[in-house]
Amino acid sequence: MAQVPQRFFDALAVRTWCGLSLRALGRAREEIDAINVYPVADGDTGTNLYLTVESAVAAVEAVFAAHAVDAGEPRAEVPGAEVPDAGGGPSLADAVGAMAHGALIGARGNSGTILAQLLRGMAQVLTAGGEPAHTDGPGLRLALRHAAESARQAVAHPVEGTVLTVASAAADAADDAAVGAEDGAEDDCAAVARAAYDGARAALAATPGQLPVLERAGVVDAGGHGLVTVLAALVETFTGRAPGPKPVAVPRACVAHGDEAAAGECAAQEGDESGPAFEVIYLLEAEDAAVARLRQRLDALGDSLVVVGGDGLWNVHVHVDDAGAAVEAGVEAGRPYRIRITHFGHGDAHTAGSERPPRERTQRAVVAVVPGEGLAGLYTEAGATTVLARPGEPPASGELVQAVRRAHAREVVLLPNDAELRHTAAAAAEQARTEGIRVALIPTRSAIQGIAALAVHEPERRFDEDVVAMTSAAGATRHAEVAVAERQSWTTAGICQAGDVLGLVDGDVAVIGADVTEVAATVLDRMLAAGGELVTLVLGDEAPETVTAHLEARVREAYLAVDTVVYRGGRQGSLLLIGVE
């Protein structure tokens, strides 16, 4: 069904744009990957843009979910769920802020990081001056201009013929369209979006004449093509129709191959064979002054430096030969996390002469989502490949797919360890299956259940038998957590206030109190009332040190046949995780 064209840019338009962009990038991902020759011919620009927008979509959907109001029904499924107010859905500022933040924390690669800054630049304009319900054509035009300028500022050494050129052309075209507009047409977001798209498309076609490596390969810029795809989705948001597709140039020498994969291989041959060996990306919590010093240091270490973000949270991307030095620079500036180091390995522009044989796949692996560094270490010691999920930053399906690939196994057991990740994990499993990997998804709802499943994992067993045993162990483990309410909420145990201590059993709030130890003890007693042989406690960084000692003593005194094991979970979101088997 065609959507109704909109004149203004509001929260619903943001949601629609993000969703349309994700679908469009999903369709274009392979052909964008195939023409990726700059700055490194590693064939992943389309994938990186898709993962970046997927993270933005997840953040926007989370905002809409938080504002959903079920008439007359309290929302009790999430600790700290907000009491509905009369305002209804999210504001424009809520939506664009979530979009920008989601893109920032999920940005991948050079182009994904720049796209995140483009979205952040738009958000800075659209959230200025309070919280308007919507913006009009002039507001959208200003947002596109600021986006292009802020993206250039984020890149250490801007190069023409790239996504930066395409973004600037889009903003220029939107400005030019306002000149001579009649009858208030300049106030129409659809007209602004269409002008920006047309300008971007024209600039994209001209990129081979600006960047020699593109001209040699006979392609347009991959990042620029991705931005044109996103702007086409913006046009569709306001008109209900996607603008006509723009043919993508593939390497002239590869036309005879007739497919994107072959074109990508040939395009890689056109890339610059010199350059740093590693791509380093991380999120960074740091002050502005420290980030300014970090830019200077990283610029001296390598190239393709892009630092985006602000307000204490940054995404850092750089190509270097010394990956350790790039991470150490981040440590000196603040607190880096979600660190990803990729070696430009066999088959890309930096190792064209490498003849290393591909590593043999193992038979079976376990991939698990974990909520803290401590648990990540525990799972890794047990042989699992981990994906770190920080509070408020759930991994996207693309991250899970990459973890499955990283496990490099013929058979993979996937543990999402969170009920909210069930659909994300299912999508990742389905994608991995299309790549020939046998994947079994065990619907673990907590990291505690994942520990139980991992404890009985035996790679030597038949795959089906192993999955059944792990599923049974997870299902037999009751799980609970102790957390602090972030705001006033309706829960199954009554109304809580911000700062109250919540005890959740199997996902539902069962206890509301003021003292962490007392709430934890009450929760543990309720769980052990139904029996149990082993209690597992995972202590978060912000929990009182004495709470586990108190609970261990309580188990020894009141439950003589029950053993207790304690782990440190690090920054895991909850103060305490509790499991009873």
Side-chain angles (χ1 to χ4, degrees):
M1 180 182 297
Q3 70 177 69
V4 178
Q6 300 183 52
R7 181 181 176 85
F8 298 111
F9 195 42
D10 58 10
L12 183 58
V14 173
R15 186 187 200 184
T16 302
W17 180 33
C18 287
L20 290 173
S21 294
L22 186 64
R23 287 193 287 274
L25 286 170
R27 293 190 296 268
R29 179 182 62 81
E30 289 186 0
E31 66 178 4
I32 296 174
D33 282 345
I35 64 171
N36 174 201
V37 300
Y38 182 85
V40 176
D42 48 358
D44 63 358
T45 292
T47 299
N48 288 335
L49 289 169
Y50 180 88
L51 293 175
T52 302
V53 174
E54 185 181 44
S55 182
V57 168
V60 172
E61 290 301 321
V63 165
F64 271 86
H67 283 79
V69 179
D70 296 328
E73 294 184 11
R75 294 169 52 224
E77 69 277 8
V78 179
E82 186 174 358
V83 175
D85 57 31
S91 66
L92 173 61
D94 291 333
V96 295
M99 174 185 71
H101 180 73
L104 175 67
I105 64 175
R108 295 299 184 91
N110 191 69
S111 294
T113 307
I114 292 173
L115 178 61
Q117 187 65 9
L118 287 167
L119 297 179
R120 177 179 171 81
M122 291 185 68
Q124 287 175 322
V125 171
L126 297 174
T127 57
E131 294 196 5
H134 62 259
T135 193
D136 53 13
L140 181 58
R141 188 179 299 112
L142 287 174
L144 291 170
R145 169 58 61 195
H146 185 66
E149 292 174 350
S150 63
R152 281 187 176 271
Q153 292 169 1
V155 177
H157 302 285
V159 175
E160 297 306 327
T162 66
V163 63
L164 297 176
T165 305
V166 176
S168 294
D172 290 343
D175 287 341
D176 292 342
V179 179
E182 298 178 357
D183 299 326
E186 72 275 9
D187 291 330
D188 189 346
C189 286
V192 174
R194 181 70 204 210
Y197 167 76
D198 288 341
R201 187 174 63 173
L204 177 65
T207 55
Q210 297 173 293
L211 204 54
V213 66
L214 300 180
E215 186 174 29
R216 290 197 302 271
V219 299
V220 296
D221 179 65
H225 177 24
L227 179 57
V228 168
T229 302
V230 170
L231 290 173
L234 185 62
V235 174
E236 186 176 357
T237 298
F238 295 115
T239 66
R241 294 183 179 181
K246 168 76 168 65
V248 178
V250 297
R252 291 184 295 272
C254 304
V255 172
H257 289 286
D259 61 64
E260 287 87 352
E265 293 175 5
C266 293
Q269 296 171 11
E270 297 290 341
D272 181 5
E273 296 186 5
S274 64
F278 297 96
E279 177 186 60
V280 178
I281 305 174
Y282 49 80
L283 292 178
L284 177 70
E285 294 177 356
E287 299 298 326
D288 290 4
V291 172
R293 294 190 295 271
L294 174 67
R295 289 178 191 269
Q296 294 178 349
R297 180 167 179 186
L298 292 180
D299 192 25
L301 288 175
D303 59 28
S304 297
L305 173 61
V306 185
V307 181
V308 304
D311 301 321
L313 180 62
W314 309 82
N315 191 308
V316 178
H317 170 280
V318 67
H319 294 173
V320 294
D321 283 320
D322 189 344
V327 175
E328 288 173 5
V331 172
E332 292 180 4
R335 191 181 73 84
Y337 59 99
R338 282 200 179 184
I339 300 168
R340 295 188 295 272
I341 300 174
T342 303
H343 183 262
F344 295 122
H346 177 69
D348 68 32
H350 288 157
T351 57
S354 174
E355 296 297 334
R356 291 178 298 173
R359 179 165 59 97
E360 181 68 21
R361 286 184 179 273
T362 58
Q363 182 59 32
R364 189 175 308 159
V366 176
V367 173
V369 179
V370 292
E373 295 91 341
L375 280 175
L378 176 65
Y379 273 75
T380 300
E381 288 176 5
T385 298
T386 61
V387 178
L388 191 61
R390 292 187 174 277
E393 301 173 8
S397 63
E399 291 181 78
L400 300 187
V401 172
Q402 288 194 343
V404 170
R405 293 169 181 156
R406 194 168 70 246
H408 206 64
R410 299 181 183 89
E411 301 168 339
V412 171
V413 179
L414 182 57
L415 306 175
N417 291 339
D418 186 339
E420 298 296 325
L421 289 178
R422 179 184 52 170
H423 297 301
T424 301
E430 189 61 33
Q431 173 62 37
R433 291 182 188 117
T434 66
E435 300 176 9
I437 304 171
R438 189 180 184 186
V439 181
L441 171 61
I442 298 178
T444 47
R445 298 166 58 88
S446 166
I448 291 287
Q449 289 187 324
I451 291 173
L454 199 55
V456 300
H457 168 55
E458 292 185 11
E460 295 77 17
R461 276 193 298 224
R462 290 179 54 248
F463 185 62
D464 291 340
E465 292 177 355
D466 198 27
V467 171
V468 168
M470 295 176 71
T471 302
S472 177
T477 303
R478 283 162 286 150
H479 61 95
E481 64 178 299
V482 177
V484 176
E486 295 181 357
R487 59 183 70 88
Q488 186 187 54
S489 309
W490 281 337
T491 78
T492 49
I495 296 179
C496 71
Q497 305 297 324
D500 282 350
V501 179
L502 307 179
L504 294 89
V505 178
D506 293 331
D508 293 324
V509 177
V511 182
I512 300 174
D515 182 79
V516 174
T517 301
E518 290 181 2
V519 169
T522 302
V523 168
L524 184 57
D525 285 341
R526 291 194 183 187
M527 297 178 73
L528 287 174
E533 299 176 355
L534 176 66
V535 172
T536 302
L537 304 174
V538 182
L539 187 69
D541 277 352
E542 297 180 0
E545 290 287 338
T546 57
V547 65
T548 53
H550 178 86
L551 295 179
E552 286 182 286
R554 188 176 187 82
V555 171
R556 285 195 303 269
E557 295 168 3
Y559 306 95
L560 301 180
V562 179
D563 294 324
T564 305
V565 60
V566 179
Y567 301 109
R568 289 193 171 273
R571 294 188 62 199
Q572 61 185 24
S574 301
L575 298 175
L576 182 70
L577 300 178
I578 304 174
V580 173
E581 303 174 49

